Amino acid sequence: MRTPKTTKNLIDRVRYRLPVLCLAAMVAAVSFPVTSYATENTKKQLEEAKEKKEQSESELENTKDDIAEMNEEKSSLQGQLNNLNQQLNEVSDNLEELEEQIDTKETEIENTLAELAVAKVKEEEQYASMKKRIQFIYEKQNFVVMGMFLGATNFADFLNQNNYIEQLSAYDRKMFNQYVETRHLIEEKEATLEQEKDQLQEYQVKQQAEQSRVSGLVSQTSGTIKQYSNDISDAEEKAKALEDQIKAQEQDIKKLEAKLAEEIRLSKLAANSTWRNISEVTFAEGDRALLANIIYCEAGSEPYAGKLAVGSVVINRVLSSVYPDTVVGVIYQNKQFSPVASGRLALALADDKANADCYRAADEAMKGYSNVGNCVYFRTPVPGLTGTQIGGHIFY
């Protein structure tokens, strides 16, 4: 049988919780987005996973654009390289032809020099013979005239012999002049050939310079194409890695979405599950300090209402048949409260960091008071998440 004091406490609890329960019923009647039921860690992980996937997709798109641009530039350079190679072949052919022409000119010059040498020898021989005959006639003219006179059978014969000498002298002069003219012609021919050779060599030097220039461009363009090929290969490897990364991220997102769906299921199940009365809960020694310190870790900088709301979520889970039925079991349930995983709760418990408001909130929550109805989740506000906002948290 309840005492008057117990009855009064029960009435106060009902009076206190009635508006909250009504609000919870109204909230439950509204169709919220499924993300409203996500836990803080899962929601955050899912958002981060999607954001990373978007970044990877953006980077992949940029990489593919880079590959397309590099392929286009490489194709353009390949066209330039083909033209340069054609120019190089033409220049090389010209040089080969010039070398043949120069060899021919050198052969012609050698032959001409040989002809000139022969002509000079004949000229010198003719000049020496003519000089001897003239000298002999000049020095021995009396003797020659006397011999011709004594040797002639008649005057006509004497005139014929004299005429022969004149013809011989004229022939000598003619032949000498011919050899001199031939030598001049050969010398002119030699000079012309030397000039042509000089021109060919000058053109050869220009063609060699052009060959060197084009060859340098070919080498430079080939090197650039090779660099583009290497860059394209690296970019393609990067694109492949990004594609693999995106596939892995998609798998992560699917896992997180599956986890989120499970949490949604649990959240709905919790809302519709069997709830114990606070009087049915037996708290263990140390539950008060544990609850106060998790409140400190999760809402230490929040107003008192925010601290009480966090304590209420923990106790609501203890009361729900979906979650563990002890404070320890709820708080240390895998991947539910981030301070547990990060080690902050252990540090807080070691020095009992919880302040008076945290203990006050823990005491009220353990008495069954709740300022968030039957909410079993809370997190910092994010787009699309609705519920009861107290301080810096949304409770749902």
Side-chain angles (χ1 to χ4, degrees):
M1 181 176 180
R2 291 190 177 91
T3 64
K5 183 177 181 181
T6 304
T7 304
K8 182 177 183 301
N9 290 339
L10 179 61
I11 293 172
D12 290 340
R13 286 166 55 190
V14 172
R15 183 184 300 128
Y16 177 78
R17 295 184 63 181
L18 184 60
V20 176
L21 292 173
C22 292
L23 176 61
M26 293 173 62
V27 170
V30 181
S31 178
F32 292 117
V34 293
T35 53
S36 299
Y37 302 94
T39 64
E40 180 176 0
N41 287 338
T42 304
K43 178 71 175 177
K44 183 178 180 181
Q45 290 172 4
L46 184 58
E47 288 172 354
E48 289 176 350
K50 288 182 178 180
E51 185 177 335
K52 288 179 180 178
K53 179 173 175 285
E54 289 177 0
Q55 291 175 352
S56 297
E57 289 173 339
S58 176
E59 189 175 356
L60 177 61
E61 191 65 27
N62 291 335
T63 302
K64 287 182 177 179
D65 289 342
D66 291 342
I67 291 173
E69 290 178 3
M70 287 188 290
N71 274 318
E72 184 177 351
E73 186 64 25
K74 179 185 174 183
S75 178
S76 175
L77 287 171
Q78 189 62 56
Q80 295 178 28
L81 181 61
N82 293 338
N83 291 334
L84 288 171
N85 279 323
Q86 184 177 354
Q87 293 178 32
L88 185 60
N89 289 334
E90 291 175 357
V91 172
S92 298
D93 291 342
N94 289 339
L95 278 173
E96 186 176 350
E97 184 178 349
L98 282 171
E99 289 172 356
E100 291 177 358
Q101 292 179 8
I102 290 173
D103 290 341
T104 300
K105 289 297 177 184
E106 288 177 345
T107 301
E108 291 179 1
I109 290 172
E110 289 177 1
N111 293 336
T112 301
L113 289 174
E115 292 176 5
L116 180 60
V118 172
K120 287 180 177 180
V121 170
K122 289 185 177 180
E123 177 189 344
E124 291 173 357
E125 290 176 352
Q126 183 63 30
Y127 178 74
S129 298
M130 183 179 66
K131 182 179 178 181
K132 287 181 179 179
R133 279 192 284 272
I134 292 173
Q135 183 180 3
F136 176 78
I137 293 172
Y138 178 77
E139 292 176 352
K140 307 294 183 178
Q141 56 183 337
N142 292 332
F143 173 75
V144 172
V145 172
M146 182 61 68
M148 290 171 57
F149 180 76
L150 293 174
T153 56
N154 52 43
F155 186 71
D157 188 28
F158 175 76
L159 291 177
N160 287 335
Q161 291 185 17
N162 185 55
N163 186 45
Y164 170 74
I165 292 174
E166 291 178 354
Q167 289 179 354
L168 183 60
S169 298
Y171 174 78
D172 285 338
R173 283 194 298 275
K174 178 182 177 183
M175 294 303 296
F176 176 74
N177 290 334
Q178 284 182 353
Y179 289 133
V180 170
E181 183 179 357
T182 299
R183 181 174 60 80
H184 286 322
L185 291 174
I186 293 174
E187 287 175 347
E188 290 176 359
K189 181 180 178 181
E190 179 191 9
T192 300
L193 290 173
E194 289 287 354
Q195 185 178 5
E196 291 175 353
K197 178 184 174 183
D198 290 342
Q199 290 175 349
L200 288 172
Q201 288 177 334
E202 182 179 350
Y203 188 53
Q204 182 187 38
V205 170
K206 292 181 180 179
Q207 288 295 296
Q208 286 174 340
E210 180 67 9
Q211 183 187 44
S212 178
R213 184 186 72 83
V214 177
S215 179
L217 289 175
V218 167
S219 178
Q220 179 181 350
T221 306
S222 298
T224 304
I225 290 175
K226 183 177 180 180
Q227 184 60 49
Y228 268 105
S229 297
N230 292 337
D231 291 344
I232 290 171
S233 178
D234 292 342
E236 288 174 343
E237 289 181 5
K238 180 181 179 181
K240 178 64 170 60
L242 285 170
E243 288 172 351
D244 293 341
Q245 179 175 309
I246 289 171
K247 289 179 181 178
Q249 289 170 337
E250 288 173 347
Q251 292 298 319
D252 290 341
I253 289 172
K254 287 181 180 179
K255 290 178 181 178
L256 287 171
E257 286 175 341
K259 182 181 178 184
L260 178 60
E262 176 63 14
E263 290 173 351
I264 291 172
R265 186 186 70 81
L266 290 175
S267 180
K268 290 180 177 179
L269 184 61
N272 299 312
S273 66
T274 302
W275 285 64
R276 293 187 296 168
N277 188 279
I278 192 67
S279 62
E280 300 177 50
V281 179
T282 300
F283 293 105
E285 183 179 355
D287 282 353
R288 180 173 180 264
L290 178 60
L291 182 58
N293 277 277
I294 194 65
I295 291 172
Y296 167 79
C297 291
E298 293 283 11
S301 60
E302 294 291 318
Y304 176 75
K307 293 179 174 65
L308 176 59
V310 170
S312 298
V313 166
V314 174
I315 299 302
N316 281 344
R317 290 194 179 193
V318 173
L319 297 176
S320 171
S321 60
V322 176
Y323 298 94
D325 58 2
T326 64
V327 173
V328 172
V330 167
I331 292 176
Y332 287 101
Q333 188 177 10
N334 189 32
K335 297 181 179 179
Q336 294 301 306
F337 293 91
S338 59
V340 175
S342 67
R344 287 181 58 231
L345 177 60
L347 293 174
L349 284 169
D351 295 329
D352 194 16
K353 293 285 188 180
N355 56 28
D357 280 346
C358 293
Y359 273 102
R360 176 186 166 198
D363 289 339
E364 284 203 79
M366 291 173 70
K367 290 177 183 178
Y369 295 126
S370 172
N371 60 345
V372 290
N374 289 341
C375 292
V376 290
Y377 289 102
F378 66 92
R379 65 151 297 141
T380 53
V382 292
L385 180 64
T386 57
T388 302
Q389 182 164 359
I390 300 177
H393 289 122
I394 297 289
F395 294 83
Y396 47 93

